[in-house]
Amino acid sequence: MDNMRSDAYNEIKHKIIHFDYSPGEKISEKTISSELKLGRTPVREAIIRIEREGLIKVIPQSGTYITRIDMSDVKNARFVRSCIEPRIMVDATVKMTSQVRNILEDNLNSQAKASASKDADTFFNLDQDFHHEFYKIILKNSVWQWLEINNTQLNRFRKLLLKEKNFNWNRLLAQHRQILSAVLNQNIDDLIFLVNQHIHLTLLEKQRALDDYPDYFKN
C-alpha cells in the first residue's frame, strides 16, 4: 500500500508540474485511478497530500481542480532558493569528487541533446538532477526534499517557460556549464554571482509567460 501511495503521489504531481493536467482543470479520483491503474484509496490520499502543497483545490459541491500558478509563491520560492543555493554550491567546491564531476558532465551532455531536440520534459528533469547533485554531495538531500515540497509553484513556472516557443534553452545550458566550471575551479566570487544570476533568470521571462498563458495564473 505504501508503494501505491507513493506511486500515486509522484505520478499525479508529475502530471501537474509537466502540465498533463492544466491549471484550472477539473479532475476526478475515478479518472485518475483509471489513467494510473491504481486504486481509489491511494489516489484519494495522494490528492489530499498534494492539496496541502497547494497544487490541488477541492471546492465543496463543485469538484476538485488543479490550482493556477500563484506568482507570489513563485517569487517567495525563488527568494528562498537564492538564499540557500549559493551556500550549497560554495560548500560543494570542497566536496567535489571525480565521480560526481563525471555525473554532472554527463548530465550537461544530456541537457545539450534535450535542448537540441526541444524535449522539455527531459530537459526539465535533467535540470532538476543537475542542481540536486550538489545538495547530495554535501549531504543536504533532506534540504532538497524540503525545497521540492515548498517549490512546487516555482517548478511549475520553470517548466512552463520551457513550453515557450522562443525561450533561450542555450542560455540556460550555458549558465549550468559556467556554474560547474566555477565549482570545479573553486572560483567562489564568480560562483555566487552565477548562481544568483541563474536563479533570477526565471523571473526575467515572467511577462512573456503571463501574456501567452493568462489562464494558467491566479489573478
Side-chain angles (χ1 to χ4, degrees):
M1 178 62 78
D2 286 343
N3 285 340
M4 284 190 289
R5 288 194 191 100
S6 180
D7 288 346
Y9 169 81
N10 289 330
E11 285 287 337
I12 296 169
K13 188 169 179 179
H14 181 276
K15 285 180 175 293
I16 294 172
I17 289 176
H18 287 263
F19 297 96
D20 294 320
Y21 300 145
S22 299
E25 179 179 344
K26 187 175 183 179
I27 59 173
S28 72
E29 290 178 13
K30 181 178 179 180
T31 302
I32 292 174
S33 296
S34 177
E35 287 178 356
L36 303 184
K37 296 180 173 57
L38 292 170
R40 296 281 289 274
T41 298
V43 168
R44 183 180 305 115
E45 292 176 353
I47 286 174
I48 291 170
R49 183 177 171 188
I50 295 170
E51 183 184 13
R52 295 194 193 107
E53 295 179 18
L55 294 178
I56 287 174
K57 184 175 181 64
V58 178
I59 302 176
Q61 285 79 53
S62 178
T64 302
Y65 298 85
I66 305 300
T67 60
R68 290 180 165 83
I69 299 171
D70 188 331
M71 281 307 299
S72 64
D73 286 346
V74 171
K75 292 175 182 177
N76 287 336
R78 188 201 64 83
F79 172 77
V80 172
R81 189 88 175 256
S82 69
C83 292
I84 294 174
E85 196 141 315
R87 173 64 184 273
I88 295 290
M89 296 292 186
V90 169
D91 288 354
T93 62
V94 295
K95 297 288 186 178
M96 183 58 62
T97 65
S98 58
Q99 181 181 9
V100 174
R101 175 177 181 164
N102 289 337
I103 290 172
L104 289 167
E105 289 177 341
D106 286 346
N107 177 288
L108 290 175
N109 290 333
S110 296
Q111 283 187 42
K113 293 176 183 176
S115 175
S117 62
K118 298 297 182 184
D119 184 345
D121 287 349
T122 298
F123 189 92
F124 178 83
N125 291 335
L126 288 166
D127 187 342
Q128 290 284 88
D129 292 343
F130 177 80
H131 289 270
H132 188 189
E133 202 63 42
F134 292 100
Y135 288 75
K136 289 193 292 186
I137 194 175
I138 65 167
L139 305 179
K140 296 297 182 184
N141 190 54
S142 59
V143 175
W144 174 265
Q145 299 300 336
W146 179 87
L147 284 173
E148 283 299 280
I149 291 172
N150 292 280
N151 273 359
T152 50
Q153 298 287 9
L154 176 60
N155 285 340
R156 292 172 86 192
F157 184 70
R158 288 173 51 230
K159 179 60 173 60
L160 182 62
L161 292 179
L162 295 176
K163 290 167 64 71
E164 287 287 335
K165 182 187 300 185
N166 296 318
F167 182 74
N168 191 340
W169 296 46
N170 288 330
R171 178 166 60 169
L172 204 58
L173 177 57
Q175 288 184 347
H176 286 154
R177 293 192 185 282
Q178 290 168 344
I179 287 169
L180 178 58
S181 177
V183 169
L184 295 176
N185 292 315
Q186 298 187 344
N187 190 334
I188 303 304
D189 289 340
D190 281 358
L191 178 59
I192 292 172
F193 170 78
L194 290 166
V195 174
N196 280 309
Q197 179 189 55
H198 182 62
I199 293 171
H200 187 64
L201 176 63
T202 54
L203 293 186
L204 295 179
E205 303 287 342
K206 177 183 71 171
Q207 195 56 51
R208 187 187 302 171
L210 289 169
D211 290 341
D212 289 350
Y213 298 95
D215 293 339
Y216 280 15
F217 292 89
K218 181 179 179 181
N219 292 329

